[in-house]
Amino acid sequence: MSKLITTLQAARYGSLFCLSLFSLAAQAQQLPQVQEAPLRAHLALLSSDLFEGRGTGQRGGDLTVAYLEAQAQALGLLPANGTSYRQPVRISGVKALPAKSTVHLELAGKSLPMQFADDWVWWTGNAQTQQSFDHELLFVGYGISAPEEQWDDYKGVDCRGKILVMLVNEPRPTEAEPKRFGGAALTYYGRWNYKFEEARRHGAAGVLLIHTDASASYGWSVVKNGGSAEHFQLQGADTGVGLQAWITDALAQQLFTGAGLNLDKLREAAEKTDFRPVRLPAAKLKGEARSALRQLEQYNVAGIVPGTDPRLKQEVVIYSAHWDHLGKQETKQDGNGDVIYNGAIDNGSGTAGLLAMAKAAVAQPARRSQMFLWVAAEEQGLLGSSAYAAQPLWPLRKTAAALNIDVMNFVGVTRDMGLAGSERSELQQHALKVARDMQLQASPEAPDTAGGYFRSDHFSFAKAGVPAFSVSRGRDFIHHPQESSEKARAYGKRYHQSTDKYDPAWDLSGMVQQAQFTLQLGYEIANSAKMPAWKAGDPFAQPRQIEPAP
């Protein structure tokens, strides 16, 4: 016990000097300060087995919403939805039933040997419990149609009723075109949800995405865990195709070789603008796909700190974090005997961080109003934030900015802060000012190779015209730099695994620092003379959508 106490004391107080730097900066400017104690307490509880991984449509998710609602009221936040802290998010849940299904791939009438979860995963994108397939396969390269890039993988080929086989990611930049598709950074065209949407626009019956670790930026285990779980979509938002599937590269090689094609050569061909879709001779997707379907209601939770300025309080700064994770699975997925995916870092950290920030903000309002928004079903495709953007609780035209936190720093304080995405708008100049005030640097710019800007909840606001980005952890650790960097990188092995658990020995000084920076940035925006605007030429540089009055 004494050893544990010593470890906890070192974790909590070992970085006191560094914490004092940004605490003093906040005090000097009379800004509210985020405290570690409430952050740690919320994080430990929300990521415990009691909350069962905060799964969408599960008991743990219901407990989480009730907890957040009670905490918002206790903190003194005002309800953001009339008299309620809850905003309904109506979704459809679909879970593949592979044991009751016969859907499979065939070559010349013979079934390919393939196992669900090990070789492929699939789910339906149109909320149907039963679908029959007898469809030809068509390779469409990256499955992208991007007029501004003068790129069209479809070339007018009739895709109606076809199963489209696609590469993950997007065409690589070349020496002649170093900025093609954002250069080394990933654009929205490389995201798998875009590919499903584009396939539907072309009338396809389904999509098979070919997975590699390099192209997806994560291993097959992430696909396996996510693909084997229940999938959700907003009710009435029929954006997918009948069958949405991922297949391993090994299965894809077997499929293409059996069809008399060389997948590696087709990959090379798909890098060129003159690529045309290629039919897979004698290859078909056949059989019946059965799924369990349910309609359910989840909730965003939102509370308000009213502004103090008679005019500016009509505008709002939003802080967001998603409360959900993968929940409780029916069977063991990763071999360690655990069925609960606690999601301590993803995103118990952001959920707890937002509570600690709200506690600080209530005591000292800003000129503009502030909203603390915990959104549902991020892991299912940003559904909660998409639902909010479609029916906002505060007019988008009066929403100054959306600052998101997702996967926070559990290692220790840094000399920098991650501001990727802020450069798209005037949020960058505000963020750099706050960094200077807190004696921090902006993390060095690096290409967004994994398309992070399109994978978290701020993106729903950006699409609606609200300047938005996620504040990410710094990388220049003050204490034990090499060891700390390795510890941070090692989290990748726990990402979306049941091993993402809370450790009471964690040094949360870096998490407090990140939460303080986000809150301080919100105050910088909330107290400024005008709302931030997008940089000219940015793809999201559009007027904030003006929604109809309720």
Side-chain angles (χ1 to χ4, degrees):
M1 178 62 74
S2 61
K3 182 178 180 181
L4 175 60
I5 292 174
T6 301
T7 302
L8 287 172
Q9 288 174 335
R12 297 185 185 186
Y13 306 117
S15 298
L16 183 59
F17 173 73
C18 300
L19 278 168
S20 67
L21 291 179
F22 58 83
S23 293
L24 288 172
Q27 289 174 337
Q29 300 177 59
Q30 296 184 330
L31 292 173
Q33 297 178 68
V34 177
Q35 301 297 322
E36 189 220 359
L39 197 162
R40 184 180 288 275
H42 291 307
L43 174 58
L45 184 59
L46 285 165
S47 58
S48 69
D49 282 357
L50 177 65
F51 284 80
E52 299 178 348
R54 307 183 306 280
T56 298
Q58 296 184 8
R59 175 178 176 273
D62 295 340
L63 288 173
T64 303
V65 169
Y67 181 80
L68 292 172
E69 184 178 42
Q71 291 298 318
Q73 185 173 14
L75 289 172
L77 297 175
L78 299 184
N81 191 14
T83 60
S84 177
Y85 293 95
R86 300 189 182 199
Q87 179 189 33
V89 180
R90 296 175 178 86
I91 59 182
S92 300
V94 181
K95 190 175 191 310
L97 301 175
K100 297 182 179 180
S101 303
T102 60
V103 64
H104 62 283
L105 290 169
E106 282 190 1
L107 279 171
K110 294 183 179 180
S111 298
L112 283 176
M114 51 197 294
Q115 294 293 324
F116 186 87
D118 293 332
D119 302 302
W120 76 324
V121 293
W122 57 263
W123 63 95
T124 60
N126 53 7
Q128 298 294 317
T129 59
Q130 184 175 335
Q131 294 185 90
S132 295
F133 294 93
D134 187 359
H135 301 295
E136 295 180 348
L137 272 58
L138 185 69
F139 178 65
V140 293
Y142 287 99
I144 293 173
S145 179
E148 71 278 14
E149 294 279 351
Q150 298 182 338
W151 193 277
D152 180 17
D153 282 324
Y154 292 90
K155 300 294 193 300
V157 173
D158 187 0
C159 298
R160 290 174 295 179
K162 301 287 195 307
I163 302 296
L164 306 184
V165 187
M166 299 182 190
L167 302 174
V168 177
N169 214 307
E170 60 196 4
R172 297 187 297 271
T174 65
E175 186 175 339
E177 296 179 280
K179 297 297 183 182
R180 185 168 78 169
F181 285 98
L186 189 72
T187 72
Y188 187 56
Y189 292 115
R191 295 289 296 137
W192 54 264
N193 44 344
Y194 160 79
K195 295 173 187 288
F196 292 148
E197 294 166 2
E198 190 64 30
R200 181 180 179 275
R201 286 190 282 269
H202 283 81
V207 170
L208 303 178
L209 293 176
I210 302 174
H211 172 270
T212 66
D213 290 4
S215 62
S217 78
Y218 41 74
W220 179 254
S221 63
V222 175
V223 179
K224 175 181 176 180
N225 291 341
S228 302
E230 186 176 17
H231 284 259
F232 299 92
Q233 63 186 66
L234 294 175
Q235 290 182 19
D238 189 12
T239 58
V241 288
L243 192 83
Q244 301 181 165
W246 289 71
I247 63 176
T248 64
D249 188 62
L251 179 58
Q253 292 284 0
Q254 185 181 2
L255 173 65
F256 278 71
T257 299
L261 299 171
N262 186 311
L263 177 56
D264 293 332
K265 288 186 177 180
L266 285 174
R267 279 192 170 110
E268 293 178 9
E271 297 293 329
K272 301 176 182 178
T273 57
D274 61 357
F275 168 84
R276 293 186 61 83
V278 177
R279 177 177 171 270
L280 276 68
K284 281 193 170 186
L285 181 88
K286 297 188 70 171
E288 190 173 84
R290 291 181 176 268
S291 306
L293 173 66
R294 60 175 175 147
Q295 308 294 339
L296 64 155
E297 194 168 65
Q298 297 292 275
Y299 298 95
N300 296 331
V301 179
I304 299 292
V305 177
T308 60
D309 185 276
R311 179 178 62 85
L312 294 182
K313 69 180 181 180
Q314 303 302 318
E315 299 170 355
V316 72
V317 173
I318 293 178
Y319 309 93
S320 64
H322 73 90
W323 58 254
D324 66 305
H325 194 56
L326 303 184
K328 190 174 183 179
Q329 304 293 335
E330 293 179 0
T331 58
K332 303 176 182 67
Q333 297 290 340
D334 56 10
N336 70 356
D338 199 347
V339 296
I340 295 178
Y341 286 65
N342 302 81
I345 300 302
D346 184 16
N347 189 31
S349 62
T351 305
L354 217 60
L355 284 167
M357 290 161 57
K359 177 179 175 64
V362 166
Q364 189 174 329
R367 296 177 69 195
R368 285 185 175 85
S369 298
Q370 298 171 88
M371 178 187 294
F372 292 85
L373 174 64
W374 293 268
V375 293
E378 185 269 357
E379 301 289 3
Q380 306 302 325
L382 315 184
L383 299 188
S385 56
S386 295
Y388 180 95
Q391 294 185 321
L393 300 177
W394 200 288
L396 294 181
R397 67 183 181 277
K398 293 185 178 181
T399 301
L403 306 176
N404 189 60
I405 46 176
D406 191 352
V407 182
M408 297 185 74
N409 177 6
F410 65 98
V411 179
V413 288
T414 58
R415 296 181 180 87
D416 61 336
M417 194 63 61
L419 308 180
S422 67
E423 74 283 353
R424 294 173 174 270
S425 69
E426 292 175 347
L427 290 179
Q428 184 182 52
Q429 64 194 53
H430 292 294
L432 292 175
K433 178 182 182 301
V434 172
R436 289 193 298 270
D437 292 342
M438 293 181 64
Q439 302 178 43
L440 297 170
Q441 300 290 323
S443 298
E445 292 186 12
D448 186 8
T449 57
Y453 192 78
F454 314 107
R455 294 169 61 171
S456 203
D457 288 300
H458 66 264
F459 183 53
S460 297
F461 291 94
K463 288 195 296 183
V466 177
F469 79 106
S470 288
V471 176
S472 56
R473 67 167 178 83
R475 299 194 291 270
D476 185 6
F477 292 96
I478 292 177
H479 300 294
H480 314 292
Q482 183 173 350
E483 179 184 343
S484 296
S485 296
E486 290 174 356
K487 187 182 297 185
R489 284 194 295 270
Y491 172 70
K493 296 180 180 179
R494 303 203 306 275
Y495 172 71
H496 280 204
Q497 308 299 313
S498 63
T499 49
D500 184 3
K501 296 178 181 294
Y502 169 72
D503 184 343
W506 278 341
D507 175 358
L508 296 192
S509 59
M511 201 173 291
V512 174
Q513 181 188 41
Q514 188 176 349
Q516 180 67 42
F517 180 91
T518 307
L519 185 63
Q520 205 156 320
L521 175 56
Y523 271 74
E524 166 70 18
I525 298 164
N527 291 326
S528 65
K530 69 181 186 69
M531 298 198 302
W534 290 98
K535 298 284 182 67
D538 190 89
F540 303 108
Q542 56 175 314
R544 293 166 172 83
Q545 292 180 3
I546 299 178
E547 59 286 338

